[in-house]
Amino acid sequence: MTTPPTTGAVPVPARVLLADGQELTARLWARHETPGGWFYEVGLPSYRNTEDGDVEPAEYRVWVRAPEHVRPVGGVSYRAVPTERLEKPSAVREVLGPRRPSGWVLLKLDGGRGVVHPVDCEEAPVGAPALTLDSALDAAEHPGTRLCSLCGAGAELDPLLQGFVHGFEGED
């Protein structure tokens, strides 16, 4: 399989270890980090037959695992090689887990009562319009409305409703 050159990329030499133990110099086109490690796209020198029956130089492109199948060439800089890295999750995301969807919904009950839920709560009404934080706080201040305790809406909204007055030294 031959592949045309990558647009705008300038390959650099790299040593490739073949399955039979041979080592040859190839052209390194790109690097890609995956959860399983690094893969390098290399162009191996080859030949191909033309339509008129002649033979011409060609390049066979393949992704190989690094460092098992590819090695640097001394004195060559690899800084300009297009490199795609995995996005590393922040330490905060690793500890807290994935973010919840933003928004709140109001479950209306009989007699003007209601319950405020985050949009991802199991008890949230399906198809209810999402409320902004300010709208959720306004609804929560209504005397007949409570905050869902199943999903933690109370723990999230109470400090905003109370103005963060609880828990600070010297405050009643």
Side-chain angles (χ1 to χ4, degrees):
M1 174 176 117
T2 53
T3 306
T6 304
T7 306
V10 177
V12 294
R15 295 183 353 236
V16 175
L17 181 62
L18 300 178
D20 66 357
Q22 294 181 68
E23 189 173 289
L24 58 96
T25 302
R27 300 191 314 166
L28 176 61
W29 287 96
R31 299 181 285 195
H32 178 73
E33 185 180 23
T34 70
W38 282 94
F39 285 85
Y40 284 31
E41 183 183 24
V42 296
L44 301 170
S46 182
Y47 291 98
R48 70 173 166 206
N49 298 106
T50 64
E51 288 186 23
D52 63 355
D54 204 1
V55 177
E56 68 182 8
E59 181 177 78
Y60 176 78
R61 294 262 190 103
V62 63
W63 286 92
V64 295
R65 190 177 292 279
E68 295 94 324
H69 306 122
V70 65
R71 310 262 191 300
V73 171
V76 174
S77 172
Y78 293 94
R79 289 188 189 130
V81 175
T83 303
E84 187 178 322
R85 293 185 173 275
L86 278 179
E87 185 176 313
K88 305 278 190 228
S90 72
V92 171
R93 272 302 128 229
E94 287 183 26
V95 171
L96 297 178
R99 293 184 71 165
R100 293 174 68 173
S102 61
W104 304 87
V105 292
L106 177 62
L107 172 62
K108 295 181 180 179
L109 303 171
D110 294 336
R113 297 177 305 127
V115 181
V116 175
H117 298 275
V119 293
D120 63 340
C121 178
E122 293 176 10
E123 300 293 319
V126 177
L131 304 172
T132 64
L133 176 61
D134 287 337
S135 298
L137 291 171
D138 289 343
E141 287 182 326
H142 187 272
T145 303
R146 67 179 179 83
L147 302 173
C148 178
S149 57
L150 175 68
C151 62
E156 293 176 19
L157 293 177
D158 267 342
L160 299 171
L161 291 168
Q162 304 300 323
F164 295 96
V165 296
H166 302 293
F168 291 101
E169 286 185 38
E171 296 191 15
D172 299 31

